[in-house]
């Protein structure tokens, strides 16, 4: 029996990504409760993303940088719609972490650079200096620190929105009821946007543990007034589950 056995754990990832974390929690005996705090939507056709995909295929960039699995999926979905070979990333590729790198590998792409810590700050620090063109494929709400850091290293940086992040309109009824009745043991967050989306819809009392995938997400949770009980290390879904398990074991 693990420390998560029988624990009800809210999963705030988008609906298309909730199952991966939910499955890991079930393996440890927990009861995952999906509560998508955001949804992922494609950007309009015919815009900067389409132009970037074509330019990369034509060897217009030295590097392409992906900072999320959602960005990878959005890129290759649009490439398929444009009739561009999914493997036509004619540039070096950087991924923010192992999950993003694995998503690229699913499309036949090996990452040239994955930072030792799976954060954009570590990616910026690890990235070499240069004078050529770099493309960042990111969420529409991503903050500008990464591109600013790369420009500081001499690169010509172009950022395109690969997808839109939309806050959820409401909580699932089962989640609202479980929170109201005090039956939630923990809430998990995997991005700043999941924190913002969830806390706009619900209050977390002192009861549930709060677990975050990394320091940026944890900072967002604290800024929202939450007590953070566990931060994953490494900053992966597996690390998040293990951090949550340790937090329960130490209680």
């Amino acid at each position: 029996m693990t420390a998560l056995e029988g624990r009800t754990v809210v999963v705030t990832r988008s609906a298309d990504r909730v199952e991966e974390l939910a499955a890991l929690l079930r393996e440890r005996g927990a009861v995952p409760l999906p509560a998508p705090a955001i949804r992922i939507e494609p950007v309009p056709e015919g815009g900067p993303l389409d132009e970037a995909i074509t330019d990369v295929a034509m060897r217009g960039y030295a590097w392409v940088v992906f900072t999320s699995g959602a960005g990878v999926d959005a890129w290759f979905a649009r490439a398929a719609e444009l009739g561009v070979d999914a493997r036509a990333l004619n540039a070096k590729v950087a991924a923010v972490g192992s999950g993003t790198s694995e998503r690229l590998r699913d499309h036949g792409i090996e990452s040239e650079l994955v930072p030792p810590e799976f954060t954009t700050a570590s990616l910026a620090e690890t990235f070499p200096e240069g004078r050529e063109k770099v493309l960042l494929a990111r969420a529409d709400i991503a903050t500008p620190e990464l591109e600013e850091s790369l420009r500081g290293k001499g690169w010509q940086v172009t950022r395109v929105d690969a997808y839109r992040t939309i806050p959820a309109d409401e909580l699932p009824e089962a989640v609202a009821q479980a929170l109201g009745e005090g039956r939630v043991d923990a809430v998990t967050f995997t991005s700043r946007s999941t924190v913002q989306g969830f806390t706009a819809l619900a209050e977390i009392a002192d009861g549930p543990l709060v677990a975050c995938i990394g320091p940026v997400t944890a900072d967002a949770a604290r800024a929202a007034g939450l007590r953070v009980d566990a931060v994953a290390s490494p900053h992966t879904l597996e690390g998040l589950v293990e951090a949550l398990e340790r937090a329960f074991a130490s209680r």
Side-chain angles (χ1 to χ4, degrees):
M1 179 179 295
T2 75
L4 291 178
E5 188 73 33
R7 304 283 191 179
T8 298
V9 181
V10 169
V11 181
T12 59
R13 301 187 92 197
S14 60
D16 59 324
R17 296 179 176 278
V18 72
E19 181 54 32
E20 188 177 1
L21 179 53
L24 292 172
L25 290 165
R26 287 192 204 97
E27 289 175 4
R28 301 297 216 289
V31 180
L33 196 57
I38 57 173
R39 67 179 187 272
I40 303 300
E41 293 187 353
V43 296
E45 297 180 2
L49 177 62
D50 294 12
E51 182 179 347
I53 290 169
T54 302
D55 287 348
V56 169
M58 297 295 291
R59 302 184 184 276
Y61 287 88
W63 284 87
V64 179
V65 180
F66 292 97
T67 57
S68 69
V72 173
D73 291 345
W75 177 280
F76 285 100
R78 184 57 59 82
E81 293 172 4
L82 294 172
V84 175
D85 186 344
R87 295 163 296 179
L89 275 173
N90 292 318
K92 293 182 179 180
V93 177
V96 74
S98 61
T100 305
S101 180
E102 185 61 36
R103 192 80 65 174
L104 284 161
R105 192 172 293 117
D106 291 342
H107 292 282
I109 303 296
E110 289 294 331
S111 303
E112 299 271 352
L113 173 62
V114 180
E117 292 186 21
F118 302 157
T119 65
T120 53
S122 182
L123 177 58
E125 183 177 352
T126 308
F127 209 84
E129 295 183 352
R131 295 293 182 269
E132 297 177 274
K133 294 174 69 177
V134 176
L135 179 73
L136 306 185
R138 308 203 66 189
D140 61 333
I141 62 171
T143 57
E145 286 87 353
L146 178 57
E147 51 257 47
E148 291 170 357
S149 295
L150 297 188
R151 287 192 184 101
K153 289 191 168 186
W155 295 99
Q156 302 173 51
V157 180
T158 299
R159 167 181 166 164
V160 296
D161 295 342
Y163 61 95
R164 291 174 169 175
T165 306
I166 311 298
D169 296 324
E170 59 182 2
L171 287 177
E173 184 177 346
V175 176
Q177 184 173 353
L179 284 169
E181 295 174 356
R183 292 187 287 105
V184 172
D185 297 299
V187 180
T188 59
F189 296 108
T190 55
S191 66
R192 180 192 290 112
S193 58
T194 59
V195 172
Q196 294 169 342
F198 189 81
T199 55
L201 297 172
E203 292 186 4
I204 303 176
D206 293 335
L209 293 183
V210 171
C212 298
I213 201 166
V216 174
T217 306
D219 286 346
R222 294 187 185 101
L226 303 181
R227 181 199 67 243
V228 176
D229 302 285
V231 180
S233 182
H235 312 316
T236 62
L237 297 182
E238 292 83 357
L240 178 60
V241 173
E242 291 169 2
L244 185 56
E245 195 168 28
R246 289 193 297 270
F248 276 119
S250 66
R251 260 198 165 184

